């Protein structure tokens, strides 16, 4: 019998913010990860600092030397506004503010193209209070259109993530957006499927979500989570049954990166990167399944 193809495991740099990017990349390669989910932020390949092209080229050389594939993520909390988390968004009332976020995504596409990345991640943002829903969707489609244009030119999928509390919060919202944009090819507008978010709020179990969304998945984020609670948890400390999820990803032929996302656990990042890899391999990410153990950090507190 032919062995199942192993999934390509990555770890998000938003969970390694206490490390220099060069050190984070070396850590992931040493542990045996296949790739890195690189969040563009002030401490890791700052998209707003000078000499971005040269710095990107250096990161590209280093990831190539280490054999790490790259997905580019754009979920930095304060990269655009030091006083407003995730602001401005694609839904801001001010057109100039929306354009700031659009420009960041266009920059992310250029960085991703230079890195040979698998996908560029983004999200809709939260509608400001009092915004009519139809107006919010109109703003989102208009703000994304120039990003899709440059992504098409680069031959890269823009992979939007359903985020709890956002305008586009679930798989139904993703399909609504696709329809509003005229049904773009999945290689142009794809899906970032966050497995924890499926557990948090989708009506179906995460493994069912994987199979239903398979044609559009271009990036995967993974962590543990509890039903109804949007809190990213180390593996084994939430409610998700991971072997069926990983089996579903393998069965549908998903070939992108599966990136561990623990953005509030950087204080224990190196330990969690190691234990998360062990957990996912034991749960079947390597093509075989054995009972997984919990992947909590080996002691330490949060600063």
């Amino acid at each position: 019998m032919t062995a199942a193809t192993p999934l390509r495991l990555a770890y998000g740099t938003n969970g390694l913010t206490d490390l220099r990017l060069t050190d984070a990349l070396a850590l992931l390669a040493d542990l045996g990860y296949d790739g890195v989910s690189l969040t563009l932020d002030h401490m890791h390949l700052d998209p707003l600092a000078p000499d971005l092209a040269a710095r990107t080229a250096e990161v590209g050389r280093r990831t190539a030397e280490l054999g790490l594939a790259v997905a580019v993520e754009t979920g930095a909390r304060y990269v655009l506004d030091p006083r407003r988390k995730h602001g401005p968004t694609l839904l801001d009332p001010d057109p100039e503010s929306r354009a700031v976020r659009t420009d960041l995504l266009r920059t992310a596409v250029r960085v991703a193209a230079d890195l040979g990345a698998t996908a560029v991640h983004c999200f809709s943002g939260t509608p400001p209070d009092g915004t009519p829903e139809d107006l919010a969707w109109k703003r989102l489609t208009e703000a994304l259109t120039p990003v899709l244009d440059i992504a098409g030119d680069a031959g890269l999928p823009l992979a939007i993530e359903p985020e709890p509390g956002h305008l586009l919060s679930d798989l139904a919202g993703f399909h609504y957006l696709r329809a509003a944009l005229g049904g773009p090819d999945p290689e142009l507008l794809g899906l970032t499927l966050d497995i924890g978010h499926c557990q948090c709020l989708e009506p179906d179990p995460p493994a069912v979500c994987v199979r239903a969304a398979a044609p559009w998945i271009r990036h995967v984020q993974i962590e543990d989570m509890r039903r109804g609670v949007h809190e990213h948890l180390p593996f084994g400390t939430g409610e998700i049954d991971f072997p069926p999820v990983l089996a579903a990803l393998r069965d549908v032929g998903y070939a992108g990166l599966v990136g561990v996302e623990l953005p509030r656990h950087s204080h224990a990042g190196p330990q969690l990167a190691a234990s998360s890899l062990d957990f996912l391999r034991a749960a079947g990410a390597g093509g075989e399944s054995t009972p997984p153990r919990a992947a909590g950090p080996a002691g330490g507190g949060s600063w």
Side-chain angles (χ1 to χ4, degrees):
M1 185 173 73
T2 303
T5 302
L7 297 173
R8 301 168 69 200
L9 301 179
Y11 200 91
T13 58
N14 62 359
L16 297 169
T17 56
D18 292 319
L19 276 65
R20 299 176 185 87
L21 180 55
T22 52
D23 292 335
L25 296 175
L27 169 72
L28 298 182
D30 288 346
L31 289 174
Y33 278 93
D34 303 293
V36 57
S37 298
L38 173 59
T39 296
L40 304 183
D41 206 347
H42 62 87
M43 78 294 286
H44 290 156
L45 196 54
D46 188 341
L48 304 183
D51 302 320
L52 178 59
R55 291 183 289 113
T56 299
E58 180 56 35
V59 171
R61 284 191 291 270
R62 189 59 180 142
T63 53
E65 290 170 358
L66 295 171
L68 293 172
V70 181
V72 169
E73 300 195 348
T74 61
R77 296 184 181 96
Y78 295 99
V79 69
L80 295 178
D81 187 335
R83 302 188 181 194
R84 185 161 57 120
K85 182 180 177 182
H86 294 311
T89 75
L90 299 172
L91 307 178
D92 272 29
D94 177 24
E96 292 185 2
S97 295
R98 295 197 299 274
V100 169
R101 175 63 63 171
T102 294
D103 286 345
L104 174 67
L105 297 182
R106 286 162 58 91
T107 296
V109 171
R110 289 190 287 267
V111 168
D114 289 347
L115 292 175
T118 58
V120 179
H121 151 277
C122 68
F123 47 72
S124 69
T126 303
D129 291 342
T131 305
E133 186 172 348
D134 59 344
L135 177 58
W137 284 107
K138 181 176 183 290
R139 288 174 177 167
L140 179 60
T141 57
E142 290 177 349
L144 281 177
T145 296
V147 186
L148 291 170
D149 289 342
I150 190 173
D153 292 341
L156 271 171
L158 186 70
I160 194 163
E161 177 188 7
E163 183 79 26
H166 284 209
L167 175 68
L168 199 165
S169 62
D170 54 19
L171 292 175
F174 170 71
H175 291 298
Y176 185 92
L177 175 65
R178 288 187 65 253
L181 287 166
D185 190 290
E187 294 303 328
L188 179 60
L189 179 66
L191 174 70
T192 292
L193 188 69
D194 187 307
I195 301 302
H197 294 173
C198 295
Q199 176 70 20
C200 178
L201 53 73
E202 293 288 350
D204 293 319
V208 175
C209 292
V210 169
R211 297 180 189 278
W216 300 278
I217 300 173
R218 293 300 177 269
H219 184 49
V220 171
Q221 295 172 343
I222 193 166
E223 68 285 313
D224 217 338
M225 204 168 286
R226 300 186 183 96
R227 183 70 179 169
V229 182
H230 184 203
E231 181 183 4
H232 292 234
L233 300 172
F235 297 111
T237 64
E239 299 173 343
I240 298 177
D241 183 15
F242 283 97
V245 174
L246 299 173
L249 286 168
R250 293 197 315 270
D251 290 348
V252 301
Y254 174 68
L257 292 178
V258 179
V260 178
E261 190 186 23
L262 293 172
R264 297 187 182 275
H265 292 77
S266 283
H267 63 281
Q271 297 94 330
L272 275 171
S275 58
S276 296
L277 187 61
D278 289 346
F279 180 95
L280 290 171
R281 285 173 170 169
E288 66 287 332
S289 180
T290 57
R293 60 182 177 81
S302 175
W303 288 89

